[in-house]
Amino acid sequence: MAAFLDLSKAFDRVWIQRLIVKLFETFGMGGKTLPWIYDFLRNRLIKVRFNNSLSRSFKLHQGVPQGSVLSPTLFTLFLSGIEKVVSKWCEVGLFADDVVMWDSGIDLQKLEDNLNSTLEDLWKLVEIHKLSFNPAKSTVGFFTTNRKLYGYQPVIVNHQPLTGRKQLKLLKYISGRDWGADAGTLRNTYISLIIPILEYGISVYCCASNTNLQKLERVQLSAARVITGLRNTCPNDIVLYEANLQPLSPRRSASLVKYYGKLCSLGRQK
């Protein structure tokens, strides 16, 4: 069981004063470095351009600059300590403002208690840092071979349940016969948001049974029908042709060849 958490406007809401104090007290940063970082962050000005018009300047009192190579490091230091809160009950993975926490076992009640207890402690921690999680963009994944538990949704954030997200529904939301996105936009959306999920971990699941691999092909076929608007009676090959999509099997083979090539190159470098 895993929870994938989204921090709302994380980089824009970094509390600069607390960050500076944390850099000094927790990491022992001093000398010229600390004043330089403080000067780098404070009194930043922004303007908004619309067509040929430019707004007046606005002063920013919090946040780290978007796009700066230093910002991810500063944000990571700002959130330091979060791993100690989570590790009491669960495992945790952090990458900048992305947080994933998970636990495994056979006792569902214990898994639910561990994740919810961790989320409560985590919520208090981010509130102290003047941050917040967005339950609407956070999801939970429950990995099990028991089909009766596929719909199990036990995780709560700030009294709101986290749900599993089905990206395929996104195509249906933005498509329509007389309105909505055109076929090109739908195809680009599918390639950008859904195919990476279908092919994630391909080097691990490539040896799965053909029955399980065909489930992925059916997902793509459903997406192709949304893209083209063709009915279920239309042959699968024609649907994929009209959507300009190739079956996933050749893509898997090409990805495995590329992956194997990288492994071989690493061996030669040694």
Side-chain angles (χ1 to χ4, degrees), residues 171-182:
L171 292 182
K172 297 179 181 179
Y173 292 153
I174 63 176
S175 66
R177 179 178 297 179
D178 302 318
W179 62 274
D182 56 28

Side-chain angles (χ1 to χ4, degrees), residues 221-265:
L221 186 60
S222 297
R225 294 190 186 280
V226 174
I227 294 171
T228 59
L230 296 176
R231 297 178 179 274
N232 293 334
T233 53
C234 186
N236 297 346
D237 292 342
I238 294 179
V239 175
L240 291 177
Y241 177 80
E242 291 295 330
N244 194 20
L245 296 172
Q246 64 172 326
L248 294 177
S249 178
R251 289 178 56 90
R252 283 196 295 269
S253 300
S255 297
L256 287 174
V257 170
K258 186 183 297 184
Y259 177 71
Y260 180 74
K262 288 183 178 179
L263 291 180
C264 291
S265 65

Side-chain angles (χ1 to χ4, degrees), residues 29-89:
M29 193 174 294
K32 296 181 179 180
T33 305
L34 200 60
W36 184 90
I37 293 176
Y38 183 61
D39 187 63
F40 170 69
L41 296 176
R42 71 188 184 98
N43 296 329
R44 291 186 296 117
L45 300 176
I46 63 169
K47 293 182 179 181
V48 178
R49 180 183 294 277
F50 180 74
N51 292 333
N52 295 324
S53 301
L54 192 65
S55 71
R56 63 182 178 88
S57 298
F58 295 88
K59 182 180 291 187
L60 299 177
H61 300 283
Q62 62 182 12
V64 293
Q66 294 281 353
S68 169
V69 295
L70 187 60
S71 295
T73 301
L74 291 176
F75 183 82
T76 301
L77 295 175
F78 179 64
L79 270 188
S80 63
I82 190 174
E83 69 283 353
K84 297 179 181 178
V85 172
V86 178
S87 61
K88 291 190 301 183
W89 307 99

Side-chain angles (χ1 to χ4, degrees), residues 2-158:
F4 305 86
L5 305 176
D6 176 78
L7 284 166
S8 300
K9 302 179 181 178
F11 279 39
D12 294 332
R13 299 181 63 177
V14 171
W15 183 6
I16 295 177
Q17 286 72 20
R18 185 174 181 84
L19 171 61
I20 297 300
V21 171
K22 205 165 188 177
L23 293 177
F24 177 74
E25 294 183 347
T26 304
F27 299 99
M29 193 174 294
K32 296 181 179 180
T33 305
L34 200 60
W36 184 90
I37 293 176
Y38 183 61
D39 187 63
F40 170 69
L41 296 176
R42 71 188 184 98
N43 296 329
R44 291 186 296 117
L45 300 176
I46 63 169
K47 293 182 179 181
V48 178
R49 180 183 294 277
F50 180 74
N51 292 333
N52 295 324
S53 301
L54 192 65
S55 71
R56 63 182 178 88
S57 298
F58 295 88
K59 182 180 291 187
L60 299 177
H61 300 283
Q62 62 182 12
V64 293
Q66 294 281 353
S68 169
V69 295
L70 187 60
S71 295
T73 301
L74 291 176
F75 183 82
T76 301
L77 295 175
F78 179 64
L79 270 188
S80 63
I82 190 174
E83 69 283 353
K84 297 179 181 178
V85 172
V86 178
S87 61
K88 291 190 301 183
W89 307 99
C90 304
E91 301 292 334
V92 61
L94 301 171
F95 184 78
D97 58 340
D98 294 321
V99 181
V100 57
M101 41 182 284
W102 68 92
D103 194 14
S104 60
I106 59 175
D107 188 336
L108 293 181
Q109 187 61 51
K110 184 178 179 181
L111 292 178
E112 179 179 346
D113 293 342
N114 285 350
L115 257 69
N116 282 314
S117 296
T118 302
L119 283 170
E120 289 181 7
D121 294 340
L122 206 54
W123 189 271
K124 295 175 184 177
L125 179 66
V126 297
E127 280 191 327
I128 292 175
H129 289 72
K130 294 187 177 181
L131 298 172
S132 64
F133 288 115
N134 186 350
K137 293 184 178 181
S138 299
T139 61
V140 60
F142 186 58
F143 307 95
T144 178
T145 57
N146 188 340
R147 297 191 177 189
K148 295 180 180 180
L149 298 174
Y150 279 179
Y152 189 65
Q153 302 291 348
V155 183
I156 305 293
V157 171
N158 196 28

